[in-house]
Amino acid sequence: MHASPTLDPAHVAIIGAGASGLMTAISIARSLASQGIDPRSNRILLIDGANKIGIKILVAGGGRCNVTHHVVDEHQYATTKPPIIRSAIKRFSAQDSIDFFEQLGVTLKQEPTGKMFPATDDAHTVLHALLDEVDRLGITILHPWRVERVEHSEDGFIIHSDREHPPIHAERLVLATGGKALPKSGSDGHGYAIAQSLGHTITKDILPALVPLVADPRSNWVRELSGISSRATIHAVSSTGKRLKSFTNDLLCTHFGLSGPGPMDVSRYLSSAKLSDKGAHLQINWIPDASFDQIDSELSTLGKAQLITHLRSLIPERLARSLCEQAGVDPSMPGHSITREQRRSLSHLLTQCAVYIQSDRGFTHAEVTAGGVPIEEINRKDFASRACDDLWLVGEILDVDGRIGGFNFQWAWSTGIIAGNAIAKSISSSVTQGD
Ligand SMILES: Cc1cc2nc3c(=O)[nH]c(=O)nc-3n(C[C@H](O)[C@H](O)[C@H](O)COP(=O)(O)OP(=O)(O)OC[C@H]3O[C@@H](n4cnc5c(N)ncnc54)[C@H](O)[C@@H]3O)c2cc1C
């Protein structure tokens, strides 16, 4: 959808037409309409630099778009202010998302993991429903229209592009520019510079999150297991072995290192720990819930049974053989021939296996960003900026990131709805005052 900017200042310009920006625009327009104010006045502008709108929605969940999760709470997010998340999720919950999409004609179905996907298993269904609603409500999308800088004065905001477009004047502004993950989608971190120019700060570290991990040469054996997948408990641990964060989920060994939901969930905690502790690494329990003592005692009672036969019942055979090799044990040995030392070494590798990580795979392969505009700089009630009047910030630009499972979209939906309602209130009070 292309359109020329209005000559009158826009009531509100939303920079970024990703999940949070689309939701904010819909929320403003619906809320205005419910107050008897026609939103079809070309004065709600969605501005996006991308050629194609909604790429992240289309690629999400492997092209199926994991819209939300059956149960969402603040514990699924990394943040400095859990109460803000708790309150946002309470005010627009996972059930509200389910109802919202149902109303747009998109039925969501729940998978055994609790993840919610469109029943069509096609992310296009989600994007089309949002864009149709934007269209129905008369919201204008300008794209490709990359915002380079924004000036703020008493009259509002002047939004500049580097192209030949004339600047746009808006009374209110929303930053929904996302973070730095998947920069080819248009979210390249420039939103942070815009936020800073309007008085905000950004966290010292901006790191890729939900990102695959590259093995350090000390753990090259992981690469040799490329193609193996297994459920495991993965701990990010400090150089002294202190457990910092743990996830139990599927893990995939690849030609570069580790991928899959478990390693991706833990990635931001490891990367963040490695900033101040180079020796931070992963510790993997290949048999979730089993302790060293349990496994050690199991192995000590194998008797004549072959070690590999037992291990095969617990983990993939190639993994079992690799761990035996590292423990210096012949996997074809009968249980009773294994020395105590070998058994303990193997039990250790099975339940507390150190894996050293060189780096993550960077923003190109990351699903979200850890870091951003500190949540303390936002008014928790409505996501308005505390640094600049008539400015709101929503979605991933804020320093909040969720684990895999639909939590990041839920954050985008919740913040968009809440900010949108507040913006509509602000517009309606200025309209009734004769704006
Ligand atoms: C591969 C992948 C898979 C994912 N899968 C899931 C999933 O299944 N479930 C889930 O919950 N989350 C998933 N996520 C995360 C989720 O997509 C994001 O958290 C969410 O899209 C963030 O929404 P947002 O609107 O805040 O930002 P974005 O979606 O990043 O949107 C920001 C928009 O702002 C625009 N923009 C940025 N800067 C400018 C500028 N200067 N001028 C104009 N426009 C600008 C961009 O073009 C972009 O369209 C996935 C992410 C990736 C990369």
mmCIF file of all heavy atoms in Angstrom, residues 366-408:
data_model
loop_
_atom_site.group_PDB
_atom_site.id
_atom_site.type_symbol
_atom_site.label_atom_id
_atom_site.label_comp_id
_atom_site.label_asym_id
_atom_site.label_seq_id
_atom_site.Cartn_x
_atom_site.Cartn_y
_atom_site.Cartn_z
ATOM 1 N N ALA A 366 19.821 -14.415 14.237
ATOM 2 C CA ALA A 366 19.118 -14.302 15.526
ATOM 3 C C ALA A 366 17.636 -14.048 15.299
ATOM 4 O O ALA A 366 17.243 -13.439 14.304
ATOM 5 C CB ALA A 366 19.703 -13.148 16.336
ATOM 6 N N GLU A 367 16.813 -14.497 16.237
ATOM 7 C CA GLU A 367 15.373 -14.229 16.138
ATOM 8 C C GLU A 367 14.988 -12.947 16.868
ATOM 9 O O GLU A 367 14.019 -12.302 16.501
ATOM 10 C CB GLU A 367 14.551 -15.410 16.670
ATOM 11 C CG GLU A 367 14.688 -16.629 15.783
ATOM 12 C CD GLU A 367 13.588 -17.650 15.973
ATOM 13 O OE1 GLU A 367 12.697 -17.451 16.813
ATOM 14 O OE2 GLU A 367 13.641 -18.671 15.274
ATOM 15 N N VAL A 368 15.712 -12.604 17.894
ATOM 16 C CA VAL A 368 15.403 -11.358 18.606
ATOM 17 C C VAL A 368 16.681 -10.693 19.111
ATOM 18 O O VAL A 368 17.787 -11.210 18.922
ATOM 19 C CB VAL A 368 14.446 -11.558 19.817
ATOM 20 C CG1 VAL A 368 13.020 -11.650 19.393
ATOM 21 C CG2 VAL A 368 14.837 -12.693 20.680
ATOM 22 N N THR A 369 16.474 -9.560 19.787
ATOM 23 C CA THR A 369 17.591 -8.772 20.296
ATOM 24 C C THR A 369 17.509 -8.727 21.815
ATOM 25 O O THR A 369 16.439 -8.461 22.367
ATOM 26 C CB THR A 369 17.471 -7.317 19.781
ATOM 27 O OG1 THR A 369 17.242 -7.373 18.380
ATOM 28 C CG2 THR A 369 18.713 -6.517 20.081
ATOM 29 N N ALA A 370 18.631 -8.967 22.464
ATOM 30 C CA ALA A 370 18.713 -8.767 23.920
ATOM 31 C C ALA A 370 19.265 -7.365 24.129
ATOM 32 O O ALA A 370 20.323 -7.030 23.602
ATOM 33 C CB ALA A 370 19.646 -9.801 24.537
ATOM 34 N N GLY A 371 18.532 -6.545 24.874
ATOM 35 C CA GLY A 371 18.941 -5.150 25.059
ATOM 36 C C GLY A 371 18.016 -4.238 24.276
ATOM 37 O O GLY A 371 17.111 -4.690 23.579
ATOM 38 N N GLY A 372 18.251 -2.942 24.417
ATOM 39 C CA GLY A 372 17.411 -1.966 23.728
ATOM 40 C C GLY A 372 17.148 -0.785 24.637
ATOM 41 O O GLY A 372 17.959 -0.477 25.522
ATOM 42 N N VAL A 373 16.014 -0.138 24.449
ATOM 43 C CA VAL A 373 15.672 1.006 25.297
ATOM 44 C C VAL A 373 15.253 0.470 26.667
ATOM 45 O O VAL A 373 14.357 -0.376 26.756
ATOM 46 C CB VAL A 373 14.531 1.835 24.663
ATOM 47 C CG1 VAL A 373 14.077 2.940 25.625
ATOM 48 C CG2 VAL A 373 14.975 2.429 23.329
ATOM 49 N N PRO A 374 15.909 0.924 27.743
ATOM 50 C CA PRO A 374 15.576 0.389 29.068
ATOM 51 C C PRO A 374 14.097 0.593 29.383
ATOM 52 O O PRO A 374 13.547 1.671 29.167
ATOM 53 C CB PRO A 374 16.452 1.211 30.024
ATOM 54 C CG PRO A 374 17.559 1.725 29.173
ATOM 55 C CD PRO A 374 16.994 1.912 27.796
ATOM 56 N N ILE A 375 13.492 -0.432 29.904
ATOM 57 C CA ILE A 375 12.064 -0.419 30.193
ATOM 58 C C ILE A 375 11.726 0.615 31.275
ATOM 59 O O ILE A 375 10.623 1.127 31.346
ATOM 60 C CB ILE A 375 11.629 -1.858 30.563
ATOM 61 C CG1 ILE A 375 10.121 -2.025 30.509
ATOM 62 C CG2 ILE A 375 12.178 -2.330 31.846
ATOM 63 C CD1 ILE A 375 9.641 -2.610 29.259
ATOM 64 N N GLU A 376 12.737 0.962 32.078
ATOM 65 C CA GLU A 376 12.539 1.986 33.117
ATOM 66 C C GLU A 376 12.235 3.354 32.495
ATOM 67 O O GLU A 376 11.733 4.248 33.162
ATOM 68 C CB GLU A 376 13.808 2.142 33.982
ATOM 69 C CG GLU A 376 14.142 0.967 34.860
ATOM 70 C CD GLU A 376 14.870 -0.157 34.127
ATOM 71 O OE1 GLU A 376 15.086 -0.042 32.890
ATOM 72 O OE2 GLU A 376 15.204 -1.156 34.785
ATOM 73 N N GLU A 377 12.569 3.525 31.207
ATOM 74 C CA GLU A 377 12.357 4.833 30.564
ATOM 75 C C GLU A 377 10.955 4.959 29.976
ATOM 76 O O GLU A 377 10.641 5.920 29.278
ATOM 77 C CB GLU A 377 13.425 5.048 29.485
ATOM 78 C CG GLU A 377 14.821 5.124 30.079
ATOM 79 C CD GLU A 377 15.927 5.369 29.058
ATOM 80 O OE1 GLU A 377 15.618 5.668 27.887
ATOM 81 O OE2 GLU A 377 17.099 5.257 29.440
ATOM 82 N N ILE A 378 10.129 3.933 30.244
ATOM 83 C CA ILE A 378 8.780 3.881 29.687
ATOM 84 C C ILE A 378 7.783 3.940 30.834
ATOM 85 O O ILE A 378 8.003 3.349 31.885
ATOM 86 C CB ILE A 378 8.597 2.530 28.936
ATOM 87 C CG1 ILE A 378 9.619 2.401 27.833
ATOM 88 C CG2 ILE A 378 7.189 2.355 28.393
ATOM 89 C CD1 ILE A 378 9.576 3.505 26.818
ATOM 90 N N ASN A 379 6.675 4.603 30.598
ATOM 91 C CA ASN A 379 5.607 4.615 31.581
ATOM 92 C C ASN A 379 4.884 3.270 31.520
ATOM 93 O O ASN A 379 4.328 2.903 30.485
ATOM 94 C CB ASN A 379 4.653 5.769 31.203
ATOM 95 C CG ASN A 379 3.602 5.998 32.246
ATOM 96 O OD1 ASN A 379 3.241 5.072 32.977
ATOM 97 N ND2 ASN A 379 3.126 7.216 32.319
ATOM 98 N N ARG A 380 4.887 2.531 32.637
ATOM 99 C CA ARG A 380 4.368 1.161 32.592
ATOM 100 C C ARG A 380 2.881 1.104 32.270
ATOM 101 O O ARG A 380 2.363 0.095 31.812
ATOM 102 C CB ARG A 380 4.659 0.408 33.896
ATOM 103 C CG ARG A 380 3.839 0.872 35.075
ATOM 104 C CD ARG A 380 4.254 0.170 36.334
ATOM 105 N NE ARG A 380 3.605 -1.121 36.482
ATOM 106 C CZ ARG A 380 3.808 -1.935 37.508
ATOM 107 N NH1 ARG A 380 4.678 -1.603 38.437
ATOM 108 N NH2 ARG A 380 3.184 -3.058 37.596
ATOM 109 N N LYS A 381 2.178 2.199 32.517
ATOM 110 C CA LYS A 381 0.729 2.208 32.329
ATOM 111 C C LYS A 381 0.361 2.162 30.842
ATOM 112 O O LYS A 381 -0.588 1.502 30.446
ATOM 113 C CB LYS A 381 0.213 3.488 32.988
ATOM 114 C CG LYS A 381 -1.256 3.671 33.061
ATOM 115 C CD LYS A 381 -1.613 4.901 33.898
ATOM 116 C CE LYS A 381 -1.743 6.102 33.036
ATOM 117 N NZ LYS A 381 -0.974 7.141 32.780
ATOM 118 N N ASP A 382 1.149 2.857 30.024
ATOM 119 C CA ASP A 382 0.711 2.998 28.621
ATOM 120 C C ASP A 382 1.849 2.953 27.593
ATOM 121 O O ASP A 382 1.639 3.228 26.426
ATOM 122 C CB ASP A 382 -0.071 4.300 28.452
ATOM 123 C CG ASP A 382 0.734 5.526 28.879
ATOM 124 O OD1 ASP A 382 1.922 5.350 29.222
ATOM 125 O OD2 ASP A 382 0.190 6.631 28.870
ATOM 126 N N PHE A 383 3.055 2.645 28.064
ATOM 127 C CA PHE A 383 4.226 2.570 27.181
ATOM 128 C C PHE A 383 4.600 3.906 26.533
ATOM 129 O O PHE A 383 5.234 3.957 25.487
ATOM 130 C CB PHE A 383 4.078 1.434 26.140
ATOM 131 C CG PHE A 383 4.197 0.113 26.819
ATOM 132 C CD1 PHE A 383 3.082 -0.472 27.403
ATOM 133 C CD2 PHE A 383 5.425 -0.509 26.963
ATOM 134 C CE1 PHE A 383 3.191 -1.653 28.116
ATOM 135 C CE2 PHE A 383 5.548 -1.685 27.681
ATOM 136 C CZ PHE A 383 4.416 -2.252 28.259
ATOM 137 N N ALA A 384 4.169 4.991 27.207
ATOM 138 C CA ALA A 384 4.610 6.316 26.761
ATOM 139 C C ALA A 384 6.032 6.545 27.260
ATOM 140 O O ALA A 384 6.435 6.022 28.306
ATOM 141 C CB ALA A 384 3.678 7.382 27.330
ATOM 142 N N SER A 385 6.762 7.333 26.475
ATOM 143 C CA SER A 385 8.138 7.657 26.853
ATOM 144 C C SER A 385 8.151 8.555 28.075
ATOM 145 O O SER A 385 7.327 9.463 28.202
ATOM 146 C CB SER A 385 8.792 8.377 25.668
ATOM 147 O OG SER A 385 9.903 9.099 26.093
ATOM 148 N N ARG A 386 9.114 8.318 28.952
ATOM 149 C CA ARG A 386 9.308 9.233 30.084
ATOM 150 C C ARG A 386 10.283 10.339 29.693
ATOM 151 O O ARG A 386 10.508 11.266 30.445
ATOM 152 C CB ARG A 386 9.924 8.485 31.275
ATOM 153 C CG ARG A 386 8.967 7.534 31.982
ATOM 154 C CD ARG A 386 9.757 6.760 33.036
ATOM 155 N NE ARG A 386 8.921 5.801 33.712
ATOM 156 C CZ ARG A 386 8.270 6.061 34.840
ATOM 157 N NH1 ARG A 386 8.382 7.235 35.406
ATOM 158 N NH2 ARG A 386 7.531 5.131 35.397
ATOM 159 N N ALA A 387 10.904 10.184 28.509
ATOM 160 C CA ALA A 387 11.944 11.141 28.121
ATOM 161 C C ALA A 387 11.410 12.209 27.170
ATOM 162 O O ALA A 387 12.012 13.269 27.032
ATOM 163 C CB ALA A 387 13.100 10.398 27.447
ATOM 164 N N CYS A 388 10.314 11.924 26.497
ATOM 165 C CA CYS A 388 9.867 12.822 25.432
ATOM 166 C C CYS A 388 8.336 12.799 25.374
ATOM 167 O O CYS A 388 7.738 11.712 25.346
ATOM 168 C CB CYS A 388 10.483 12.311 24.116
ATOM 169 S SG CYS A 388 9.961 13.173 22.647
ATOM 170 N N ASP A 389 7.728 13.963 25.352
ATOM 171 C CA ASP A 389 6.256 14.018 25.305
ATOM 172 C C ASP A 389 5.740 13.470 23.982
ATOM 173 O O ASP A 389 6.383 13.623 22.934
ATOM 174 C CB ASP A 389 5.782 15.486 25.422
ATOM 175 C CG ASP A 389 5.988 16.017 26.839
ATOM 176 O OD1 ASP A 389 6.168 15.176 27.745
ATOM 177 O OD2 ASP A 389 5.993 17.249 27.003
ATOM 178 N N ASP A 390 4.558 12.890 24.021
ATOM 179 C CA ASP A 390 3.853 12.419 22.820
ATOM 180 C C ASP A 390 4.607 11.343 22.041
ATOM 181 O O ASP A 390 4.424 11.194 20.828
ATOM 182 C CB ASP A 390 3.532 13.610 21.882
ATOM 183 C CG ASP A 390 2.652 14.632 22.572
ATOM 184 O OD1 ASP A 390 1.698 14.218 23.260
ATOM 185 O OD2 ASP A 390 2.937 15.844 22.453
ATOM 186 N N LEU A 391 5.468 10.645 22.737
ATOM 187 C CA LEU A 391 6.206 9.537 22.119
ATOM 188 C C LEU A 391 5.891 8.247 22.865
ATOM 189 O O LEU A 391 5.799 8.245 24.093
ATOM 190 C CB LEU A 391 7.719 9.821 22.202
ATOM 191 C CG LEU A 391 8.648 8.702 21.710
ATOM 192 C CD1 LEU A 391 8.538 8.537 20.185
ATOM 193 C CD2 LEU A 391 10.114 9.006 22.077
ATOM 194 N N TRP A 392 5.707 7.165 22.102
ATOM 195 C CA TRP A 392 5.468 5.847 22.691
ATOM 196 C C TRP A 392 6.464 4.858 22.086
ATOM 197 O O TRP A 392 6.911 5.047 20.936
ATOM 198 C CB TRP A 392 4.046 5.358 22.380
ATOM 199 C CG TRP A 392 2.970 5.997 23.199
ATOM 200 C CD1 TRP A 392 2.344 5.472 24.283
ATOM 201 C CD2 TRP A 392 2.354 7.293 22.993
ATOM 202 N NE1 TRP A 392 1.396 6.339 24.766
ATOM 203 C CE2 TRP A 392 1.380 7.458 24.004
ATOM 204 C CE3 TRP A 392 2.539 8.333 22.066
ATOM 205 C CZ2 TRP A 392 0.587 8.607 24.096
ATOM 206 C CZ3 TRP A 392 1.761 9.477 22.167
ATOM 207 C CH2 TRP A 392 0.794 9.609 23.174
ATOM 208 N N LEU A 393 6.828 3.828 22.839
ATOM 209 C CA LEU A 393 7.729 2.801 22.300
ATOM 210 C C LEU A 393 7.104 1.427 22.543
ATOM 211 O O LEU A 393 6.633 1.147 23.669
ATOM 212 C CB LEU A 393 9.100 2.856 22.969
ATOM 213 C CG LEU A 393 9.954 4.077 22.609
ATOM 214 C CD1 LEU A 393 9.729 5.214 23.596
ATOM 215 C CD2 LEU A 393 11.426 3.723 22.568
ATOM 216 N N VAL A 394 7.100 0.599 21.530
ATOM 217 C CA VAL A 394 6.457 -0.716 21.644
ATOM 218 C C VAL A 394 7.323 -1.809 21.015
ATOM 219 O O VAL A 394 8.136 -1.534 20.140
ATOM 220 C CB VAL A 394 5.061 -0.720 20.948
ATOM 221 C CG1 VAL A 394 4.077 0.171 21.679
ATOM 222 C CG2 VAL A 394 5.165 -0.307 19.488
ATOM 223 N N GLY A 395 7.104 -3.030 21.451
ATOM 224 C CA GLY A 395 7.724 -4.195 20.804
ATOM 225 C C GLY A 395 9.190 -4.368 21.150
ATOM 226 O O GLY A 395 9.668 -4.029 22.247
ATOM 227 N N GLU A 396 9.908 -4.878 20.179
ATOM 228 C CA GLU A 396 11.273 -5.352 20.426
ATOM 229 C C GLU A 396 12.292 -4.241 20.635
ATOM 230 O O GLU A 396 13.401 -4.502 21.093
ATOM 231 C CB GLU A 396 11.686 -6.246 19.238
ATOM 232 C CG GLU A 396 12.859 -7.130 19.537
ATOM 233 C CD GLU A 396 13.230 -8.005 18.351
ATOM 234 O OE1 GLU A 396 12.331 -8.662 17.767
ATOM 235 O OE2 GLU A 396 14.420 -8.034 18.001
ATOM 236 N N ILE A 397 11.962 -3.013 20.310
ATOM 237 C CA ILE A 397 12.921 -1.911 20.553
ATOM 238 C C ILE A 397 13.207 -1.785 22.051
ATOM 239 O O ILE A 397 14.263 -1.323 22.457
ATOM 240 C CB ILE A 397 12.404 -0.567 19.975
ATOM 241 C CG1 ILE A 397 13.515 0.497 20.036
ATOM 242 C CG2 ILE A 397 11.147 -0.082 20.698
ATOM 243 C CD1 ILE A 397 13.187 1.805 19.345
ATOM 244 N N LEU A 398 12.274 -2.250 22.872
ATOM 245 C CA LEU A 398 12.454 -2.193 24.326
ATOM 246 C C LEU A 398 13.351 -3.339 24.789
ATOM 247 O O LEU A 398 13.447 -4.381 24.124
ATOM 248 C CB LEU A 398 11.090 -2.272 25.015
ATOM 249 C CG LEU A 398 10.161 -1.074 24.741
ATOM 250 C CD1 LEU A 398 8.753 -1.377 25.227
ATOM 251 C CD2 LEU A 398 10.700 0.193 25.404
ATOM 252 N N ASP A 399 13.956 -3.138 25.939
ATOM 253 C CA ASP A 399 14.886 -4.137 26.476
ATOM 254 C C ASP A 399 14.119 -5.293 27.141
ATOM 255 O O ASP A 399 14.152 -5.451 28.361
ATOM 256 C CB ASP A 399 15.823 -3.444 27.487
ATOM 257 C CG ASP A 399 16.781 -4.433 28.139
ATOM 258 O OD1 ASP A 399 16.981 -5.517 27.565
ATOM 259 O OD2 ASP A 399 17.311 -4.114 29.221
ATOM 260 N N VAL A 400 13.442 -6.047 26.295
ATOM 261 C CA VAL A 400 12.690 -7.225 26.756
ATOM 262 C C VAL A 400 12.827 -8.270 25.660
ATOM 263 O O VAL A 400 12.613 -7.958 24.494
ATOM 264 C CB VAL A 400 11.179 -6.891 26.910
ATOM 265 C CG1 VAL A 400 10.369 -8.147 27.198
ATOM 266 C CG2 VAL A 400 10.959 -5.864 28.013
ATOM 267 N N ASP A 401 13.211 -9.475 26.013
ATOM 268 C CA ASP A 401 13.212 -10.537 24.995
ATOM 269 C C ASP A 401 12.710 -11.824 25.620
ATOM 270 O O ASP A 401 13.044 -12.161 26.747
ATOM 271 C CB ASP A 401 14.600 -10.723 24.366
ATOM 272 C CG ASP A 401 15.713 -10.913 25.383
ATOM 273 O OD1 ASP A 401 16.080 -9.947 26.056
ATOM 274 O OD2 ASP A 401 16.222 -12.052 25.516
ATOM 275 N N GLY A 402 11.886 -12.503 24.864
ATOM 276 C CA GLY A 402 11.274 -13.728 25.362
ATOM 277 C C GLY A 402 11.967 -14.958 24.829
ATOM 278 O O GLY A 402 12.756 -14.884 23.876
ATOM 279 N N ARG A 403 11.652 -16.099 25.432
ATOM 280 C CA ARG A 403 12.229 -17.335 24.920
ATOM 281 C C ARG A 403 11.403 -17.819 23.728
ATOM 282 O O ARG A 403 10.387 -17.208 23.389
ATOM 283 C CB ARG A 403 12.353 -18.378 26.029
ATOM 284 C CG ARG A 403 11.057 -18.919 26.562
ATOM 285 C CD ARG A 403 11.370 -20.023 27.583
ATOM 286 N NE ARG A 403 10.161 -20.639 28.080
ATOM 287 C CZ ARG A 403 9.517 -21.642 27.477
ATOM 288 N NH1 ARG A 403 9.960 -22.139 26.338
ATOM 289 N NH2 ARG A 403 8.413 -22.138 27.999
ATOM 290 N N ILE A 404 11.828 -18.889 23.116
ATOM 291 C CA ILE A 404 11.125 -19.424 21.955
ATOM 292 C C ILE A 404 9.747 -19.921 22.388
ATOM 293 O O ILE A 404 9.605 -20.485 23.472
ATOM 294 C CB ILE A 404 11.954 -20.571 21.318
ATOM 295 C CG1 ILE A 404 13.121 -19.956 20.549
ATOM 296 C CG2 ILE A 404 11.098 -21.452 20.419
ATOM 297 C CD1 ILE A 404 13.982 -20.933 19.834
ATOM 298 N N GLY A 405 8.741 -19.693 21.549
ATOM 299 C CA GLY A 405 7.419 -20.237 21.896
ATOM 300 C C GLY A 405 6.260 -19.305 21.616
ATOM 301 O O GLY A 405 5.131 -19.604 22.003
ATOM 302 N N GLY A 406 6.510 -18.145 20.992
ATOM 303 C CA GLY A 406 5.428 -17.203 20.702
ATOM 304 C C GLY A 406 5.414 -16.023 21.665
ATOM 305 O O GLY A 406 4.559 -15.146 21.572
ATOM 306 N N PHE A 407 6.386 -15.998 22.596
ATOM 307 C CA PHE A 407 6.391 -14.966 23.628
ATOM 308 C C PHE A 407 6.780 -13.591 23.066
ATOM 309 O O PHE A 407 6.341 -12.562 23.574
ATOM 310 C CB PHE A 407 7.336 -15.366 24.771
ATOM 311 C CG PHE A 407 6.944 -16.689 25.368
ATOM 312 C CD1 PHE A 407 7.629 -17.858 25.049
ATOM 313 C CD2 PHE A 407 5.848 -16.785 26.208
ATOM 314 C CE1 PHE A 407 7.249 -19.080 25.572
ATOM 315 C CE2 PHE A 407 5.449 -18.006 26.740
ATOM 316 C CZ PHE A 407 6.154 -19.155 26.414
ATOM 317 N N ASN A 408 7.616 -13.589 22.042
ATOM 318 C CA ASN A 408 8.028 -12.291 21.493
ATOM 319 C C ASN A 408 6.898 -11.629 20.717
ATOM 320 O O ASN A 408 6.695 -10.416 20.830
ATOM 321 C CB ASN A 408 9.304 -12.458 20.657
ATOM 322 C CG ASN A 408 10.484 -12.739 21.566
ATOM 323 O OD1 ASN A 408 10.853 -11.910 22.401
ATOM 324 N ND2 ASN A 408 11.042 -13.951 21.474
#
